[in-house]
Amino acid sequence: MSFRFTSRPALVASRRLSLIASHTSRSDHLIHSQIPNLKPNTTAAPPSGSRRISQASSKMPPVPKTMKGVLINKTGGTEVLEYKTDIPVPTPIDGDILVKNDFLGVNFIDTYFRTGLYPASQFPYILGREGEGTIVAVGPGDTNGLSIGDKVVYMGERGYAELTSVKSSSAVKVPSSLQPGTAAAAFLQGLTALTLVREAHAVKKGDWVLVHAAAGGTGLNLCQFLRAIGANTIGTVSTPEKAKLAEENGATYTIIDPSYTPETIKARVMELTNNQGCIAIFDGVGASTFHLSLDCVARKGSVISFGNASGAVPPVNIQKLSVKNARLMRPTLFNFVTTREELTHYANELFGFIEKDGFNVKVHEVYPLTQVARAHEDLEGRKTTGKLLLDPSK
């Protein structure tokens, strides 16, 4: 049975999938990845001395000394992104794996490090937090059952490169059933959405929920999980095209307002919820929507501010929460999946949705790594829907 959910409440009620129940096997896969088959590639970090590492066997090309990648030497606009062809290939240390990247994820957190909203640990600094590829070398010590030749997806640092050394505890094997690039497109944003509805605010069937930027990468994932739970989801979007996409992926209602006008959105939310507001609000936009979110939250509801797409939320007067006994949380994915057990638990659940339940992995475009500046501009300019990927071979 294929889970092609409609956005109409009556039909959604007949097809919702409980997030609490175990998954039932389904044969149809609705993975709209739009991803071409690309050649495997690589990532970066400086060598760490003379530690012995295991490298690729004779069946695989030897690990090169240098690689291509994108780094910054200072913070700023997209002009600070520098494409290099002579970056030293990193050496994996204890428990690390060296991954030759096939696909790299582009996320708003990359722009935060580029602009300086989040401080880089050092300069030069290689951006990127997510990738998919093949292990070509491993460091000494425990690598969590991962070996040379394994196809993996990971969350780490210094991803915008051909090769990346990453902690094995932050990587998982890619199921063989997934199309190339699907894991990279789904991993960080999919895990973000899943942990938000599980832990940031445990959404229940029938809850009214507001999702800002509902047609973005994380927004589309949220809409799908919320539909599976049986929530009534209101999504804010900027265009009719994005409204259609959000509804196709589970939004029960959408509000089209490119300026995020507080009065307009609040009035519509209150109309839909019989003046009660939404019990949970997932806000990845940040500064421009934060006070709107506080206005739209229901009594004893939760405002989950998980992103800064429009800028960081300014200091908050905590007294504002007492008006509705509201809860405020600023979570990060990495604190939900800190342990190996947490990461594998949520990764397996996410892959289960993709393999068995028709979870739609929407890729906006696969950009050549040489065009990373255009990818950042498109993301920051709200020109995209779904996930942005980079091809490090181009």
Side-chain angles (χ1 to χ4, degrees), residues 376-387:
H376 277 219
E377 290 165 356
D378 289 350
L379 184 65
E380 293 176 295
R382 298 168 66 186
K383 300 176 182 178
T384 67
T385 57
K387 184 71 177 186

Side-chain angles (χ1 to χ4, degrees), residues 217-294:
T218 304
L220 290 176
N221 290 332
L222 279 168
C223 287
Q224 292 184 79
F225 287 131
L226 291 167
R227 173 177 58 189
I229 294 170
N232 300 298
T233 303
I234 305 171
T236 60
V237 295
S238 58
T239 67
E241 293 76 19
K242 290 184 176 183
K244 182 176 184 293
L245 183 62
E247 290 170 2
E248 290 173 347
N249 283 271
T252 318
Y253 303 95
T254 53
I255 302 172
I256 304 171
D257 189 340
S259 301
Y260 282 95
T261 309
E263 296 78 12
T264 302
I265 294 176
K266 180 183 177 181
R268 181 58 174 153
V269 168
M270 291 304 170
E271 177 187 355
L272 291 170
T273 62
N274 195 26
N275 288 318
Q276 298 301 302
C278 292
I279 197 66
I281 298 178
F282 295 110
D283 188 346
V285 176
S288 66
T289 54
F290 178 72
H291 291 289
L292 168 63
S293 295
L294 288 179

Side-chain angles (χ1 to χ4, degrees), residues 118-157:
Y118 291 177
S121 56
Q122 63 182 34
F123 291 109
Y125 183 74
I126 298 176
L127 299 173
R129 293 271 164 162
E130 173 186 39
E132 174 186 336
T134 303
I135 299 175
V136 294
V138 297
D142 181 13
T143 56
N144 289 286
L146 300 177
S147 306
I148 291 172
D150 286 343
K151 296 285 187 179
V152 296
V153 62
Y154 65 85
M155 292 185 295
E157 294 187 69

Side-chain angles (χ1 to χ4, degrees), residues 25 42 52 81 126 231 278 301 388:
S25 176
T42 42
R52 177 178 296 176
L81 296 167
I126 298 176
C278 292
L388 282 66

Side-chain angles (χ1 to χ4, degrees), residues 194-204 207-209 226 229 279-282 300-304 327 329 336:
L194 188 53
T195 54
L196 288 177
V197 301
R198 284 294 209 183
E199 297 198 40
H201 182 101
V203 179
K204 300 179 180 64
D207 282 349
W208 282 92
V209 179
L226 291 167
I229 294 170
I279 197 66
I281 298 178
F282 295 110
K300 298 196 290 185
S302 301
V303 174
I304 311 300
R327 301 173 182 84
M329 186 180 191
F336 285 134

Side-chain angles (χ1 to χ4, degrees), residues 84-104:
K84 300 289 188 180
T85 60
D86 58 353
I87 299 174
V89 170
T91 300
I93 58 174
D94 286 358
D96 282 11
I97 56 176
L98 184 64
V99 180
K100 186 179 182 184
N101 294 310
D102 296 329
F103 298 92
L104 306 169

